[in-house]
């Protein structure tokens, strides 16, 4: 059986509230995991944004 090289998994999630962007989380391609977290709503708690990014990573079985 021929070993299959790992496929880089990239994703982008946008979270909206009342049709306005609140948070976006994007995993970039690379040798190491890299994430871009954009908080568009200044009233959003930064800890909540980071927890959401960690949760998304966990759901992707990383």
């Amino acid at each position: 059986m021929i070993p299959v090289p790992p496929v880089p998994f990239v994703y982008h999630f946008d979270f909206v509230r009342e049709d306005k962007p609140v948070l976006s989380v994007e995993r970039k391609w690379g040798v190491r995991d890299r994430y871009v977290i954009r908080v568009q709503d200044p009233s959003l708690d930064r800890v909540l944004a980071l927890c959401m990014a960690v949760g998304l990573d966990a759901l992707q079985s990383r």
Side-chain angles (χ1 to χ4, degrees):
M1 181 174 217
I2 299 172
V4 178
V7 177
F9 190 68
V10 178
Y11 61 75
H12 181 100
F13 289 98
D14 288 320
F15 297 89
V16 296
R17 180 184 338 159
E18 298 174 359
D19 295 327
K20 293 183 181 178
V22 177
L23 170 71
S24 65
V25 179
E26 184 176 0
R27 181 178 185 271
K28 297 287 191 176
W29 184 86
V31 177
R32 298 179 60 103
D33 290 344
R34 294 182 324 150
Y35 299 89
V36 176
I37 302 168
R38 291 185 184 92
V39 179
Q40 290 97 341
D41 184 355
S43 68
L44 184 69
D45 184 11
R46 303 288 192 235
V47 175
L48 176 64
L50 292 173
C51 290
M52 198 59 160
V54 170
L56 288 171
D57 186 49
L59 286 174
Q60 298 300 323
S61 299
R62 303 287 307 160

